[in-house]
Amino acid sequence: MAEAAGSPLIRVSGLTVRYGAVTALDHVDLAITPGMFLAVLGPNGSGKTTLFRCLLGLAEYEGRVESRARRIGYVPQIKNFDRSFPGRSVEVVISGIVGAWPGPLALRRHRERACAALAEVGADAFADRPLHALSGGQLQRVYLARALVHGPDLLMLDEPAAGVDRAGEADLYECLEGYQARNPELAVAMITHDWEVARHHADTSLLLDHSVLAFGPSAEVLTEDTLRRAFGHVGHHHDLGVTS
Ligand SMILES: Nc1ncnc2c1ncn2[C@@H]1O[C@H](COP(=O)(O)OP(=O)(O)OP(=O)(O)O)[C@@H](O)[C@H]1O
């Protein structure tokens, strides 16, 4: 059935997740629309990862998650990545192309697709470099290419700045914005602790502390007043995990 333009890609209503006595998410409502850049902010343990796991279909929940996303790309945190993993950048990207074992001819096509995805994120120069020889920012690009190689409608990033220096982080957001400008239907959802980054790069923000404290345009949600009311402080370095 055809969907009206601008209708949500994902609509979450009454989303509740309990781990024994812990309520990780409590009646969360939100909608992600095509072209949105959503920042998900909240203190440690506030349910951000659990929300992502529900959107990815990896957690059991009560409530509803309605999705018309055909493909979702996911970039995990890279800070704990094992660099001794034997492989080259291009192989990580190829592993993101879903499907049966392709055989030698398709493998060549897959390599071309993987190299095109690496080029999209400015990482084609290190396609054949082993993973242990990549910097944090370069490894981040490889995982970004892996998430984008199958043309997702939603790209989800879990704290993309973790393990990447400030310059690499700025490059990453520039790269993401460029990609989204070339693919305006793509929705991006990103977990971050940095409200300055959210205010700068995300049009929409969600403040989460098990339940939704605020959800809407970043300029309205991320005021110092709202952050102070929500978290009791505005942290050093704009980091919600640090008490000032
Ligand atoms: N598998 C699990 N079993 C039991 N409790 C869990 C499990 N996963 C998460 N929790 C609890 O649910 C709550 C939300 O955790 P979650 O990881 O979603 O928070 P978060 O906002 O992503 O935290 P952080 O910023 O530290 O990554 C926390 O209290 C956490 O301890």
Coordinates of all heavy atoms in Angstrom, one line a residue, residues 17-20 22-25 40-53 77 79 158-159 191-193 208-210 241, ligand 1:
V17 N 10.1 -1.7 28.2 CA 11.0 -2.9 28.3 C 11.4 -3.0 29.8 O 11.8 -2.1 30.4 CB 12.3 -2.7 27.5 CG1 13.3 -3.8 27.7 CG2 12.0 -2.6 26.0
R18 N 11.2 -4.2 30.3 CA 11.6 -4.5 31.7 C 12.6 -5.6 31.7 O 12.5 -6.6 31.0 CB 10.4 -5.0 32.5 CG 9.3 -3.9 32.6 CD 8.2 -4.3 33.6 NE 7.2 -3.2 33.7 CZ 6.2 -3.1 33.0 NH1 5.9 -4.0 32.0 NH2 5.3 -2.1 33.1
Y19 N 13.7 -5.4 32.5 CA 14.6 -6.5 32.8 C 14.4 -6.8 34.3 O 15.0 -6.1 35.1 CB 16.1 -6.0 32.6 CG 16.4 -5.6 31.2 CD1 16.6 -4.3 30.8 CD2 16.5 -6.6 30.2 CE1 17.0 -3.9 29.5 CE2 16.8 -6.2 28.9 CZ 17.1 -4.9 28.5 OH 17.4 -4.6 27.3
G20 N 13.7 -7.8 34.6 CA 13.4 -8.1 36.0 C 12.7 -6.9 36.7 O 11.7 -6.4 36.2
V22 N 14.0 -3.9 36.8 CA 14.4 -2.7 36.2 C 13.5 -2.4 35.0 O 13.3 -3.2 34.1 CB 15.9 -2.8 35.7 CG1 16.3 -1.6 34.9 CG2 16.8 -3.0 36.8
T23 N 13.0 -1.2 35.0 CA 12.2 -0.7 33.8 C 13.1 0.1 33.0 O 13.4 1.3 33.3 CB 11.0 0.1 34.2 OG1 10.2 -0.8 35.0 CG2 10.1 0.5 33.0
A24 N 13.7 -0.4 31.9 CA 14.6 0.3 31.0 C 13.9 1.3 30.2 O 14.5 2.4 30.0 CB 15.4 -0.7 30.2
L25 N 12.8 1.0 29.7 CA 12.0 2.0 28.9 C 10.5 1.9 29.4 O 10.0 0.9 29.6 CB 12.0 1.6 27.4 CG 13.3 1.8 26.7 CD1 13.2 1.3 25.2 CD2 13.8 3.2 26.7
V40 N 19.6 11.0 20.1 CA 19.1 10.4 21.3 C 20.0 10.7 22.4 O 21.2 10.2 22.4 CB 18.8 8.9 21.1 CG1 18.3 8.3 22.3 CG2 17.9 8.6 19.9
L41 N 19.6 11.4 23.4 CA 20.4 11.8 24.5 C 19.8 11.4 25.8 O 18.6 11.4 26.0 CB 20.6 13.4 24.5 CG 21.2 14.0 23.3 CD1 20.1 14.8 22.5 CD2 22.3 15.0 23.7
G42 N 20.7 11.1 26.8 CA 20.2 10.7 28.1 C 21.4 10.3 28.9 O 22.5 9.9 28.4
P43 N 21.3 10.3 30.3 CA 22.4 9.8 31.1 C 22.7 8.3 30.9 O 21.9 7.6 30.3 CB 21.9 10.1 32.5 CG 20.6 10.6 32.4 CD 20.1 10.7 31.0
N44 N 23.8 7.9 31.5 CA 24.1 6.4 31.5 C 23.0 5.6 32.0 O 22.4 6.0 33.1 CB 25.4 6.1 32.3 CG 26.6 6.7 31.6 OD1 27.4 7.5 32.2 ND2 26.8 6.4 30.3
G45 N 22.6 4.6 31.4 CA 21.6 3.7 31.9 C 20.2 4.2 31.7 O 19.2 3.6 32.2
S46 N 20.0 5.2 30.8 CA 18.7 5.8 30.6 C 17.8 5.1 29.6 O 16.7 5.4 29.4 CB 18.8 7.3 30.2 OG 19.6 7.4 29.0
G47 N 18.4 4.1 28.9 CA 17.6 3.3 28.0 C 17.9 3.5 26.5 O 17.2 3.0 25.6
K48 N 18.9 4.3 26.2 CA 19.2 4.6 24.8 C 19.5 3.4 24.0 O 19.0 3.2 22.9 CB 20.4 5.6 24.7 CG 20.2 6.8 25.5 CD 21.4 7.8 25.5 CE 22.7 7.3 26.0 NZ 22.6 7.0 27.5
T49 N 20.4 2.5 24.5 CA 20.8 1.3 23.7 C 19.6 0.4 23.6 O 19.4 -0.3 22.6 CB 22.0 0.6 24.4 OG1 23.0 1.5 24.5 CG2 22.4 -0.6 23.7
T50 N 18.8 0.3 24.7 CA 17.6 -0.6 24.7 C 16.7 -0.1 23.6 O 16.1 -0.9 22.9 CB 17.0 -0.6 26.1 OG1 17.9 -1.0 27.1 CG2 15.8 -1.5 26.1
L51 N 16.5 1.2 23.5 CA 15.6 1.7 22.4 C 16.1 1.3 21.1 O 15.4 0.8 20.2 CB 15.5 3.3 22.5 CG 14.8 4.0 21.4 CD1 13.3 3.6 21.3 CD2 15.0 5.5 21.5
F52 N 17.4 1.4 20.8 CA 18.0 1.0 19.6 C 17.8 -0.5 19.3 O 17.5 -0.9 18.2 CB 19.5 1.3 19.5 CG 19.8 2.7 18.9 CD1 18.9 3.7 19.0 CD2 21.0 2.9 18.1 CE1 19.2 5.0 18.4 CE2 21.2 4.1 17.6 CZ 20.3 5.2 17.7
R53 N 18.0 -1.3 20.4 CA 17.8 -2.7 20.2 C 16.4 -3.1 19.9 O 16.1 -4.0 19.1 CB 18.2 -3.4 21.5 CG 19.7 -3.5 21.7 CD 20.1 -4.0 23.1 NE 19.6 -5.4 23.4 CZ 20.0 -6.5 22.9 NH1 21.1 -6.5 22.1 NH2 19.4 -7.6 23.1
Q77 N 29.4 0.9 18.4 CA 30.5 1.6 19.0 C 31.8 0.9 18.6 O 31.8 -0.4 18.7 CB 30.4 1.6 20.5 CG 29.4 2.6 21.0 CD 29.6 2.8 22.5 OE1 30.6 2.7 23.0 NE2 28.4 3.1 23.1
K79 N 34.8 1.6 19.9 CA 35.9 1.8 20.8 C 36.5 0.5 21.4 O 37.6 0.5 21.8 CB 35.6 2.8 22.0 CG 34.5 2.3 22.9 CD 34.2 3.4 24.0 CE 33.1 2.9 24.8 NZ 32.4 3.9 25.6
D158 N 25.6 4.3 17.2 CA 25.7 4.3 18.6 C 27.0 5.0 19.0 O 28.1 4.5 18.8 CB 25.7 2.8 19.1 CG 25.6 2.7 20.6 OD1 25.7 3.8 21.3 OD2 25.4 1.6 21.1
E159 N 26.8 6.2 19.5 CA 28.0 7.0 20.0 C 29.1 7.0 19.0 O 30.2 6.5 19.3 CB 28.4 6.6 21.4 CG 27.5 7.0 22.5 CD 28.1 6.8 23.8 OE1 29.2 7.3 24.1 OE2 27.5 6.1 24.6
I191 N 22.9 7.9 18.9 CA 23.0 8.1 20.3 C 24.3 8.9 20.5 O 25.3 8.7 20.0 CB 23.2 6.7 21.0 CG1 22.0 5.9 20.9 CG2 23.6 6.9 22.5 CD1 22.1 4.5 21.5
T192 N 24.1 10.0 21.4 CA 25.3 10.8 21.7 C 25.1 11.3 23.1 O 24.0 11.4 23.7 CB 25.4 12.0 20.7 OG1 26.5 12.8 21.1 CG2 24.2 12.8 20.7
H193 N 26.3 11.6 23.8 CA 26.2 12.2 25.1 C 26.5 13.7 24.9 O 26.5 14.5 25.9 CB 27.3 11.7 26.0 CG 26.9 10.4 26.6 ND1 27.3 9.1 26.1 CD2 26.2 10.1 27.7 CE1 26.8 8.2 26.8 NE2 26.1 8.7 27.8
L208 N 16.0 11.3 26.8 CA 15.4 10.0 27.4 C 16.0 9.8 28.8 O 17.1 10.0 29.0 CB 15.8 8.9 26.5 CG 15.2 7.5 26.7 CD1 13.7 7.6 26.3 CD2 15.9 6.5 25.8
D209 N 15.1 9.5 29.7 CA 15.5 9.0 31.0 C 14.5 7.9 31.4 O 13.6 8.1 32.2 CB 15.7 10.1 32.1 CG 16.5 9.6 33.2 OD1 17.0 8.4 33.2 OD2 16.7 10.4 34.2
H210 N 14.5 6.8 30.7 CA 13.6 5.7 30.8 C 12.3 6.0 30.1 O 11.7 5.3 29.3 CB 13.4 5.2 32.2 CG 14.6 4.8 32.9 ND1 15.4 3.8 32.5 CD2 15.3 5.4 33.9 CE1 16.5 3.7 33.2 NE2 16.5 4.7 34.1
G241 N 27.0 12.9 30.5 CA 27.4 11.9 31.5 C 28.2 12.4 32.6 O 28.5 11.8 33.6
Ligands
LIG1 N1 20.3 -7.4 29.4 C1 20.0 -6.7 30.4 N2 19.7 -7.3 31.6 C2 19.4 -6.6 32.7 N3 19.4 -5.2 32.7 C3 19.7 -4.6 31.6 C4 20.1 -5.3 30.4 N4 20.3 -4.3 29.4 C5 20.2 -3.1 30.0 N5 19.8 -3.3 31.3 C6 19.5 -2.1 32.2 O1 18.5 -1.3 31.6 C7 18.8 0.1 31.8 C8 19.0 0.8 30.5 O2 20.2 0.3 29.9 P1 20.7 0.8 28.5 O3 22.0 0.1 28.1 O4 19.6 0.8 27.5 O5 21.1 2.4 28.8 P2 22.0 3.4 28.0 O6 21.2 4.7 28.1 O7 22.3 2.9 26.6 O8 23.3 3.5 28.9 P3 24.8 4.0 28.4 O9 24.8 5.4 28.2 O10 25.6 3.6 29.7 O11 25.3 3.1 27.3 C9 20.0 0.1 32.7 O12 19.6 0.2 34.0 C10 20.7 -1.2 32.4 O13 21.4 -1.6 33.6

